[in-house]
Amino acid sequence: FYYVFGFLAIVLLILFVTCAEISIVLCYFQLCNEDYEWWWRAFLNAGAAGLYLFGYSFVYFYTQLEMVGFVPVLLYFGYMAIAALLFCLITGTVGFLSAWWFVWTIYAAVKVD
């Protein structure tokens, strides 16, 4: 029982590191192309995982669940929309903060003479 929480913490750490790395790399590519409006894109690069989660809920609904009636379907997709939105906000925040730290670090190292 106690191993589940440790495994869950490791998976959460891997998720955060992956979101941070993806956001930093894509922000670097964007800055190399001299596109300095990286704020929202850094958030949405990592936050797109929430969209994937909501899309997968449709696949799971049609392949695994056998719900009958309007109310259970509405509850399922309503709760999945809330969960996907929270997931998008969490991963997007991690992506934005990591890209912000990256931009802050690289521009702090620039010496102006």
Side-chain angles (χ1 to χ4, degrees):
F1 179 70
Y2 293 109
Y3 296 117
V4 174
F5 296 113
F7 182 72
L8 193 64
I10 290 172
V11 169
L12 188 67
L13 180 69
I14 291 171
L15 172 72
F16 287 164
V17 168
T18 304
C19 288
E21 288 175 349
I22 292 295
S23 185
I24 287 171
V25 168
L26 292 176
C27 182
Y28 176 74
F29 288 155
Q30 186 176 355
L31 291 174
C32 284
N33 287 329
E34 296 180 1
D35 183 9
Y36 299 107
E37 297 176 357
W38 58 270
W39 296 77
W40 280 107
R41 195 168 296 165
F43 180 83
L44 293 175
N45 285 335
L51 184 64
Y52 176 80
L53 178 68
F54 190 64
Y56 185 74
S57 71
F58 282 95
V59 173
Y60 185 77
F61 177 77
Y62 287 115
T63 59
Q64 300 294 324
L65 298 178
E66 297 178 5
M67 289 187 187
V68 177
F70 178 72
V71 175
V73 173
L74 182 68
L75 282 174
Y76 172 73
F77 284 116
Y79 280 124
M80 284 307 298
I82 292 170
L85 179 66
L86 288 175
F87 192 75
C88 176
L89 288 175
I90 291 168
T91 56
T93 302
V94 169
F96 171 75
L97 291 176
S98 62
W100 181 68
W101 172 81
F102 172 72
V103 170
W104 184 268
T105 303
I106 63 171
Y107 282 120
V110 174
K111 302 225 189 270
V112 178
D113 292 331

